[in-house]
Each structure stands twice: as C-alpha cells, then as structure tokens.
Amino acid sequence: MLKARSELDAFPSEWAATAVHEIGHAVAHQHAGLKVRRIKIWKTWFSGAVRGQTDIAESWLPDELLPGYLVACMAGPEAEMHWRTVSGRRGKTVSHGDDVEFRKAGKGIDLSKWEARKLARELVIAEWGRIEVLAGWLAERGSLRGGAL
C-alpha cells in the first residue's frame, strides 16, 4: 500500500520534526483559547541544531486557562512523535524545555503530566491534517504569524 506523500517529506528530518513540534504547540494553544503571536524555527549558528519557539500573547494566565496551557506544553512532543510514527522518520523527540515549563506552570494544578500528554495526543490526532499542512508552511518559511493558524 502506498503512503500519501507529505509536503514535509521534502525537508531534512530534524527540520520537519521541529516544524511539526512547534505547530503542535501552536494549535493546542489556540484550542485552549490563547492567542498565538508567532511560530518560528531556525538552525543555531554554532552547532547547527534546529530549534523552535511558539510565542503566545498572554504573559500571565488565569487559573482556568492553565490546564489548556499545560496540554499545549505536551502537544509539541506528541505531534512530533505522531509525525515520526506516520512518516517512518527516526529520531529522538526532544522535549526537555517542555517538561520544565510543564513542571513550572503546573504547580498546584490538578492535571498530571500523563493526563496532559493523553489529552495532547487526542488533540494532535483530531487536528492532524491541519497540523501537517501548517508544519509544511512553517518548514518552508521558517516563521509564521499566529494569524496563519
């Protein structure tokens, strides 16, 4: 059986994985009611490692938005893992910064990391078509404004 070709197939594996990771965060932030300002990916000048960042407009979150924010923290790694599974691309999903942010923002919130990852995985699967298209745009351009979501 032939697999449909994705726009992401045209990019190096780590570049595509980072694009999917960041779009996973962005879509989940939007789903949680947060405003995404910009999503970007780049190669570091020294090591050539690929990095990404998703900026949201909110600098402070009320308690009712924190669970959605925590799910969004886990949506990046979940989107990347899903992409690696469906595309057959190998590599390690790196989410150290996401784990740190989850622990920092999640203090006092009744949502475990396991529960947040489960909710993130469900969201990623439900939004996969959109995530894949947006990640292709991000991989091509290196940066997207939040309005593109």
Side-chain angles (χ1 to χ4, degrees):
M1 183 167 144
L2 293 175
K3 179 175 84 81
R5 184 163 167 79
S6 166
E7 288 182 37
L8 291 167
D9 291 344
F11 298 97
S13 188
E14 293 313 305
W15 188 257
T18 304
V20 169
H21 184 113
E22 292 306 320
I23 292 296
H25 286 309
V27 167
H29 282 309
Q30 189 180 50
H31 188 267
L34 303 172
K35 183 177 180 185
V36 177
R37 283 190 184 156
R38 176 173 295 284
I39 310 108
K40 59 185 176 179
I41 58 175
W42 68 94
K43 272 192 169 188
T44 59
W45 66 271
F46 183 69
S47 68
V50 182
R51 299 285 183 248
Q53 183 175 350
T54 301
D55 294 324
I56 59 172
E58 293 79 7
S59 59
W60 174 84
L61 297 173
D63 288 347
E64 63 270 10
L65 293 180
L66 280 173
Y69 177 77
L70 295 173
V71 170
C73 286
M74 297 294 100
E78 287 297 328
E80 183 180 342
M81 284 193 331
H82 185 73
W83 174 77
R84 288 190 186 283
T85 299
V86 300
S87 69
R89 301 266 191 111
R90 296 180 188 263
K92 183 178 180 190
T93 302
V94 179
S95 59
H96 175 71
D98 299 327
D99 290 341
V100 169
E101 183 61 22
F102 183 91
R103 282 193 305 275
K104 185 174 78 170
K107 286 187 178 173
I109 303 298
D110 189 26
L111 180 68
S112 72
K113 185 176 165 185
W114 183 88
E115 291 169 318
R117 283 200 83 127
K118 180 180 179 288
L119 292 170
R121 189 175 312 115
E122 291 169 358
L123 178 62
V124 163
I125 290 167
E127 293 282 344
W128 183 247
R130 182 172 167 224
I131 290 170
E132 193 172 26
V133 168
L134 290 168
W137 292 354
L138 180 58
E140 182 179 318
R141 296 177 178 109
S143 177
L144 289 177
R145 292 186 184 272
L149 299 175

